[in-house]
DNA sequence: GGCTGGCGATGACTTTTGTCACACTCGTCA
DNA sequence: TGACGAGTGTGACAAAAGTCATCGCCAGCC
């Protein structure tokens, strides 16, 4: 948890929960926000640790995850610049419900519980904004539960690929090309399974002619066909 | 959605998110809260419906759940008197992320989005209280994800029984006796599986001498032994 | 070069989960 | 009384998930 003298001027203004604050309020907050730098893989906070405040991602990305006794992990959320994390445990006084780690080198701004609560009381709109972002977080969690409870690994993998294709797929002559940004291990913990099943299901999709695997780059021949997968046996 | 002329005086004061309001504020709110009565099994709102406001449970119990295309259901939460439900979609403007249905005959108070938002702006503490209850809701969801992702049906069943035993188990000469308050079907959708597996796993626990099944009443011989189950192969 | 470590693929196997079909029990109600 | 329905129990399967072990590739490094 190294500290840095570091001006973090314009950052907070871009954070959804702080939008709408006046210049003065922002600088007030900026003065109290403590920047912290993390190297790739470094733990920001561990599940169960007492919660001392919230973080805003300034640069880099953070992974929020649960880990199990036998070494598996389940990713709950991945947050990039502008996202706030751990807004919730700040209020209910409990400990962090999951762990957070930097994915790449990252800078976070730490805002103490006290400062933040004071801010919320002084500016009810902030609390409402927090409720809004928390709402979307809750939706995401419910979505994870739905997928885990109702669908197969194959299905979850297909949705993952489709989401990815939608976001950063490149159209080519053959179809849509995407780059797997993460290892199979990481992909597995994002969709709630193990390394081997990711590998196997990818191969199987290839064998079925849905896509082509070239190293870490995939070409999906037909998005519609893959999508149809999802509705076939859900 | 029948309506009832019905005085709901003291109820709101007992709802956590409204505690701390003045008498005047409470009556203000009470005047605008619309009581609605539901019969057992009746739907309060369906997943995906536009969110018009939140509900406070006055009497009875409400089940919040997701349903899948092939008829399975996953229970997210069960809320009794004093709980508020659907606080979150009120803020992010989206639709209800899951469905809600009355378990038994129930009375709910409906508070419109507008009234509630106004209240939060006027009384920042209310927003903070909401954040607190939302926090615990989020913890519960994360807990569900953890169980679904890391554990087996057997494990989840054992935890369910232990929680139940803790809450309303009666010590007898043989061990702790509990009454299954719900059908196997319902139990299954609470722990994320199907009817048959609940039945089978219960039988198996009995065969292994962990407990005795007599109709809907179970006797757990040794809580410690059952608890040990949880840590053996998680 | 050769060694090593991380990652991916894959075969063999076990366990768990889910599906389908059917029988049984126990009320309720005509 | 008997039919019906809801809920339960269970056997037989089939499919999915997970584990273990092994192999190969490639990049980094001495």
């Amino acid at each position: 948890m190294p500290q840095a003298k570091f001006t973090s001027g314009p950052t907070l203004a871009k954070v959804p929960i702080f939008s709408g604050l006046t210049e003065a309020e922002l600088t007030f907050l900026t003065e109290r926000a403590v920047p912290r730098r993390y190297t790739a893989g470094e733990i920001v906070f561990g599940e169960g640790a007492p919660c001392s405040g919230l973080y805003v991602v300034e640069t880099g990305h953070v992974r929020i995850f649960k880990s199990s006794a036998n070494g598996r992990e389940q990713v709950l959320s991945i947050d990039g610049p502008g996202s706030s994390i751990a807004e919730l445990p700040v209020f209910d006084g409990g400990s962090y419900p999951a762990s957070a780690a930097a994915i790449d080198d990252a800078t976070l701004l730490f805002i103490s519980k006290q400062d933040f609560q004071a801010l919320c009381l002084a500016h009810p709109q902030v609390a409402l904004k927090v409720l809004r972002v928390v709402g979307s977080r809750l939706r995401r969690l419910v979505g994870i539960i739905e997928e885990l409870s109702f669908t197969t690994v194959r299905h979850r993998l297909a949705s993952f690929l489709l989401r990815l294709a939608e976001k950063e797929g490149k159209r080519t002559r053959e179809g849509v090309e995407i780059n797997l940004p993460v290892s199979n291990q990481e992909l597995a913990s994002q969709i709630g399974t193990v390394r081997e099943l990711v590998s196997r299901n990818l191969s199987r999709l290839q064998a079925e002619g849905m896509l082509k695997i070239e190293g870490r780059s995939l070409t999906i021949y037909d998005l519609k066909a893959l999508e149809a997968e999802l509705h076939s046996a859900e």
Side-chain angles (χ1 to χ4, degrees), chain A:
Chain A
M1 295 107 231
Q3 204 119 328
K5 200 177 289 172
F6 197 71
T7 130
S8 47
T11 311
L12 286 181
K14 283 200 250 160
V15 176
I17 61 175
F18 297 133
S19 70
L21 291 182
T22 67
E23 195 69 26
E25 286 153 1
L26 277 174
T27 52
F28 172 89
L29 200 58
T30 304
E31 273 164 19
R32 296 167 194 246
V34 184
R36 293 184 180 172
R37 314 192 121 264
Y38 297 87
T39 58
E42 199 177 346
I43 294 285
V44 178
F45 52 78
E47 171 183 350
C51 167
S52 45
L54 68 82
Y55 294 82
V56 169
V57 181
E58 191 169 35
T59 64
H61 297 264
V62 173
R63 199 169 92 104
I64 314 285
F65 63 100
K66 284 289 259 190
S67 19
S68 86
N70 37 351
R72 270 179 62 183
E73 292 185 344
Q74 169 73 48
V75 171
L76 301 178
S77 161
I78 291 194
D79 295 288
S83 302
S84 45
I85 63 179
E87 319 90 347
L88 264 177
V90 163
F91 293 99
D92 70 356
S95 48
Y96 294 112
S99 308
I103 296 180
D104 33 29
D105 290 355
T107 320
L108 310 189
L109 295 172
F110 176 76
I111 298 170
S112 85
K113 213 152 125 166
Q114 290 75 22
D115 287 344
F116 190 54
Q117 289 188 349
L119 183 75
C120 286
L121 281 171
H123 301 282
Q125 320 88 339
V126 172
L128 292 192
K129 294 247 175 57
V130 173
L131 279 166
R132 182 142 52 222
V133 320
V134 162
S136 75
R137 196 173 287 283
L138 182 125
R139 273 171 213 282
R140 222 176 318 153
L141 292 184
V142 170
I144 293 176
I145 292 177
E146 180 174 20
E147 290 212 315
L148 287 177
S149 186
F150 297 149
T151 78
T152 64
V153 168
R154 178 191 171 89
H155 181 115
R156 304 202 289 275
L157 179 60
S159 333
F160 181 93
L161 295 181
L162 285 171
R163 276 197 300 275
L164 198 57
E166 183 141 348
K167 216 181 308 173
E168 45 204 53
K170 288 183 288 280
R171 277 223 70 78
T172 68
R173 185 169 30 77
E174 289 189 292
V176 178
E177 186 180 332
I178 54 185
N179 256 308
L180 289 184
V182 294
S183 71
N184 283 356
Q185 174 63 70
E186 172 60 21
L187 210 168
S189 61
Q190 290 188 26
I191 66 178
T193 182
V194 295
R195 188 171 71 73
E196 291 94 326
L197 285 198
V198 170
S199 175
R200 248 193 262 286
N201 276 282
L202 276 175
S203 309
R204 198 159 134 236
L205 287 172
Q206 181 176 41
E208 291 168 7
M210 311 282 295
L211 48 78
K212 182 176 59 175
I213 308 174
E214 280 158 327
R216 295 272 84 194
S217 151
L218 302 184
T219 303
I220 300 173
Y221 295 129
D222 183 358
L223 288 184
K224 301 283 173 210
L226 193 55
E227 213 155 337
E229 247 341 275
L230 302 188
H231 304 290
S232 62
E234 57 178 322

